[in-house]
Amino acid sequence: MDTGQDYRRDIDGLRAVAVGAIVIHHAFPSLLPGGFVGVDVFFVISGYLITRIIAEARDAGSFSWGGFYLRRARRIVPAYVLVVLVTAALAAWIQMPRLLAMTGAATAASGLFAANILFTQTAGYFAPGAQQNPLLHLWSLGVEEQFYLVWPALIALLSLKPLRGARATLALVLLVGSLVLAQTTIASNWAFFGLPMRAWEFLAGGVLALGLVEPPQDRTTARLAGIIGGLAIAGSLIWLNEASAFPGLSAVPVCLGTALLVWSGSGAFQGLAPLRWAPVVGLGKVSYSLYLWHWPLLVLAADVAQQPLTPFQRLGLVGLALILAILSWRFVEQSFRRGPTDRPWRRLGLMLLPLLVPIAVGALLFFSHGLPGRLSPTAKALADLEETDVNPARQVCFENARKAKPEDCRFGATSGGEGDEVLVWGDSHADAVTPGVADWAMARGWSVREVARGGCPPLVGVSVRTMYRFKLECAAAADQVLAAITSDKRLKLVVLAARWPLYRDAPPFYDVNSPRVTMEVGGKRTGLAGPLGRTLRAIAQRRPDLRVLIIGPVPELTLGAPECLGQSAQLGLKPGRCASVDAEAPLSRAGPAEDAIRAAIQDRRGVVAVFPSQTLCVNGRCQAMMDGEPIYFDDDHLSASGARRLVPAWLDVGWQALEHPRP
C-alpha cells in the first residue's frame, strides 16, 4: 500500500511510534501510561492512506471495488489468520475452560472482524477480565475493517460532480459529527469500541488526503508542524492513563498531532528526520505483525506464570514478538502482498476463505465451554472447584438475589421461627464467607440470613458506578437491609463483609477479576471511612443493642488456586507454585482499606473488626492453600471449604471482643 514513487518513509516511522507506544504500554505500563493511544495514531495514518488511494483512483476513473478489497485482504488476512490460530492453539494447551471459552468467543468474532463488537459486552478495555483475553487487541482491526466497508461508498458519493468540490469540507462535517457522538457517549463501551465513535480519527487523516489543507509550502512551516505534532503525541503518551475519559476529546491531541506529522511530510519536506531513520522505518514495516504477536504472548505467558511477569520476562517476550513479527512480515505478509489482479472478486473470495477456520475453531471452543474433555480427570476436577466449591446458596441468594424471598436465604432457622440472630450483609465476598458464618452461628443454635448484592458494599447512602459510569442499584437495596435490621428484634449480630479495597478505586490494580468502580455520595467521589462510619451510626441509632462485626479485606491474590492447580496438573508443572503468593501486592491492596475500617470504628461501642490478612499473610507470603487444599475458589473469594475452615475462628475472636470489650 505504501510502495512505489509515493512511498513515504516518515509514515512507516509514524507506524513505528504507534506500535512502539502500544507494546511498551502493554509490557511496561508504568513507563508509558498513555501508550494505548498508539492505536489512534494507526487510525489517523490508515484514514489518510486509504482515502488518498480511493480518492486518486476515483478521480482518475480507475477505482475497482474488487481490486480495492483484494489488496486489503492480501495485506491483512494472512498474518491475521496465522496469529489468531496460533493463539487459539496455545490457549487450548494452556488455559482452563473458563478462560478458553472467552478466548473462543474472541476467536470466532475475530474471523468476522467483529472483535470490537464482542468487547462492547465486557466491562471495558482496561477491565481485568478483558485484559486476560489474548485476542483483545484485535478490536482495533475490527473497527478498521468496518471503516473500510463504509468509507469507499461515502467517498464515491462525495466524488459525484455536484459534491466533489466540497468533499473535503463534507468529510470534515462527518468528522465533527463523529467526535461529538464519541464525546456524548463516552460513558459507554461503544465510545471506545464502536466505529461511529471512532470514525473521526480515520477522518482526521482522510480530510488531509482530500485536500482540506494544502501541503506546507516551506520547510520551516513543515518542520514546525512536525515538532508540534510530535509534542502532542508525546504529551498524550505521558499524561493520559487508563482512568482518563477516553477517547472523545481526550483523543484530539494525539490525533491532531498525528495529522500534523502526516501533513508536514506531504510536501517537499519529507518529514522529521527521526521518523526516516532506517531502524525506525524498519520497525514501522513490521508494525502490523508486531502488533498482532505481542499481546497474545504477554497474556498467555502471564497465564502460565500465574503471577505478574518480571521485567526481564516481559522484555524477553517483547523480543520474541519482534522476532516473530520479522519472520511473519518476511514469509507471510510479503508472500501474499502481490499477485494477479484479474478476476478480483473471485480471488477475494479465495483470500477470505481462511477466515472460516477461526470462526469454526472459536465456535467450538465457546460452545463446548472451553473443551473440558481435553483435560485429565485430575485437572478437570481441580479447575471445576471454581464452580463447585462455592456457597451452596450462591445461585439463589446472590446470583438471583432480586428474586429470592427472605426465607430462601435463611440457614439454621427453626420451623415457624421469625427473625434471625445473625445477618450477613455485603457483596460477593459476603456471599463467599456465608458458609463459615452459618457453621459458626448454627453451632450456637442461631439462625443466619444472607443479603448479598454484586458490586454493592454494605453501606447506606452511597452510589456505586462502574468504570463506564453505569450506576449499580445499591442505595435502595441498602435501605431495605437497614429497614430489616430495624424490624428484626431477634437479631443479635450483623456481619459486614465486602471486597473493601474495590470501593476505594486506588492502586495497585493487578487482580484479573476486579472491575473498576467508584463510590459516590451526593454525586461526589468518596472514600471508605466516611460511608462506613455513617452506616454504623445508622445501625446504632435504630438498634443500640445490636452488635456489628466487620470482616476486613480478604487478601486479593495474584493467582487463582483452583485454576493454577488444574493448569499445573495439565501441563505437568509443580503444584507448589499455587500454594502461596508474595505478600507485597495483596497487603498493599488491603492495607489502606484496613486503615479506613479502623478509622471508622474507632471509639465506637458494639463494633469490632477482624482482618483476614493477619491470618493468611505471614512471613512475606499470602496463602492460597492450606494442607494441600485451596481456600479460595478464584483469586479473591474464599471457597466454601475455605470459609468453613477460616471464618468461625475469625468470628470467635470478634465475638469475644464484643462480649468483653476493652475498658
Side-chain angles (χ1 to χ4, degrees), residues 15 18-20 22-23 26 39 42 72-88 90 106-107 110-111 113 115 125 133-145 283-300 317-318 320-330 332-334 336-337 355 358:
R15 288 191 176 114
V19 78
I22 294 166
V23 172
H26 285 157
V39 170
F42 274 131
R72 287 302 306 160
R74 284 174 169 169
R75 166 82 171 103
I76 295 297
V77 171
Y80 184 86
V81 171
L82 172 66
V83 173
V84 169
L85 292 180
V86 169
T87 300
L90 289 172
T107 301
S110 299
F113 286 104
Y125 176 77
N133 198 308
L135 295 175
L136 171 65
H137 64 320
L138 298 188
W139 74 268
S140 64
L141 274 299
V143 173
E144 189 169 4
E145 297 312 308
L283 181 61
K285 288 181 181 293
V286 302
S287 60
Y288 175 57
S289 283
L290 179 56
Y291 180 78
L292 290 176
W293 282 113
H294 83 283
W295 181 250
L297 293 178
L298 289 168
V299 171
L300 293 174
L317 289 166
V318 169
L320 176 59
L322 183 58
I323 292 171
L324 291 173
I326 293 171
L327 292 174
S328 58
W329 173 80
R330 173 62 183 86
V332 180
E333 287 190 60
Q334 295 302 305
F336 288 90
R337 286 287 288 271
L355 290 171

Side-chain angles (χ1 to χ4, degrees), residues 438-498:
D439 280 5
W440 178 83
M442 288 189 289
R444 288 163 172 73
W446 296 352
S447 61
V448 178
R449 180 182 172 193
E450 173 187 348
V451 181
R453 289 284 184 92
C456 291
L459 303 172
V460 297
V462 300
S463 297
V464 178
R465 297 182 183 272
T466 66
M467 175 184 171
Y468 285 91
R469 312 300 294 161
F470 179 76
K471 186 175 180 180
L472 302 178
E473 298 177 5
C474 295
D479 289 342
Q480 292 174 3
V481 177
L482 199 60
I485 289 173
T486 305
S487 62
D488 190 349
K489 302 305 180 184
R490 290 184 61 197
L491 198 59
K492 302 176 185 290
L493 175 68
V494 174
V495 176
L496 304 182

Side-chain angles (χ1 to χ4, degrees), residues 54-72:
I54 298 174
E56 289 178 355
R58 283 235 165 249
D59 293 348
S62 60
F63 180 76
S64 164
W65 289 90
F68 170 76
Y69 285 116
L70 176 60
R71 287 190 297 273
R72 287 302 306 160

Side-chain angles (χ1 to χ4, degrees), residues 289-494:
S289 283
L290 179 56
Y291 180 78
L292 290 176
W293 282 113
H294 83 283
W295 181 250
L297 293 178
L298 289 168
V299 171
L300 293 174
D303 195 9
V304 172
Q306 287 288 320
Q307 60 184 331
L309 299 172
T310 68
F312 287 111
Q313 289 172 330
R314 283 174 273 154
L315 187 61
L317 289 166
V318 169
L320 176 59
L322 183 58
I323 292 171
L324 291 173
I326 293 171
L327 292 174
S328 58
W329 173 80
R330 173 62 183 86
F331 296 107
V332 180
E333 287 190 60
Q334 295 302 305
S335 298
F336 288 90
R337 286 287 288 271
R338 295 174 180 82
T341 57
D342 60 311
R343 295 179 296 177
W345 289 108
R346 180 178 177 181
R347 296 184 186 280
L348 175 63
L350 293 174
M351 201 72 220
L352 296 179
L353 198 60
L355 290 171
L356 295 177
V357 180
I359 294 172
V361 169
L364 174 64
L365 298 179
F366 179 73
F367 288 110
S368 67
H369 304 288
L371 289 179
R374 71 198 156 88
L375 302 179
S376 67
T378 300
K380 186 177 184 303
L382 290 167
D384 285 348
L385 290 174
E386 292 182 316
E387 298 179 0
T388 59
D389 195 9
V390 299
N391 181 358
R394 181 178 179 84
Q395 185 172 4
V396 173
C397 301
F398 178 70
E399 295 176 1
N400 297 306
R402 289 173 177 79
K403 299 179 182 178
K405 299 176 182 178
E407 58 268 24
D408 294 334
C409 301
R410 297 177 66 196
F411 315 105
T414 56
S415 177
E418 294 184 0
D420 304 284
E421 282 86 358
V422 181
L423 174 68
V424 184
W425 177 20
D427 57 13
S428 61
H429 278 221
D431 174 75
V433 302
T434 294
V437 177
D439 280 5
W440 178 83
M442 288 189 289
R444 288 163 172 73
W446 296 352
S447 61
V448 178
R449 180 182 172 193
E450 173 187 348
V451 181
R453 289 284 184 92
C456 291
L459 303 172
V460 297
V462 300
S463 297
V464 178
R465 297 182 183 272
T466 66
M467 175 184 171
Y468 285 91
R469 312 300 294 161
F470 179 76
K471 186 175 180 180
L472 302 178
E473 298 177 5
C474 295
D479 289 342
Q480 292 174 3
V481 177
L482 199 60
I485 289 173
T486 305
S487 62
D488 190 349
K489 302 305 180 184
R490 290 184 61 197
L491 198 59
K492 302 176 185 290
L493 175 68
V494 174

Side-chain angles (χ1 to χ4, degrees), residues 1 22 36 76 92 131 162 164 166 175 199-200 222 273 310 313 360 402 419 466 482 512 519 552 563 606 626 635:
M1 181 170 61
I22 294 166
F36 55 87
I76 295 297
Q131 294 276 309
R164 183 174 297 181
L175 183 157
W200 70 272
T310 68
Q313 289 172 330
R402 289 173 177 79
T466 66
L482 199 60
V512 295
M519 195 165 61
E563 185 168 299
M626 289 183 172
D635 54 351

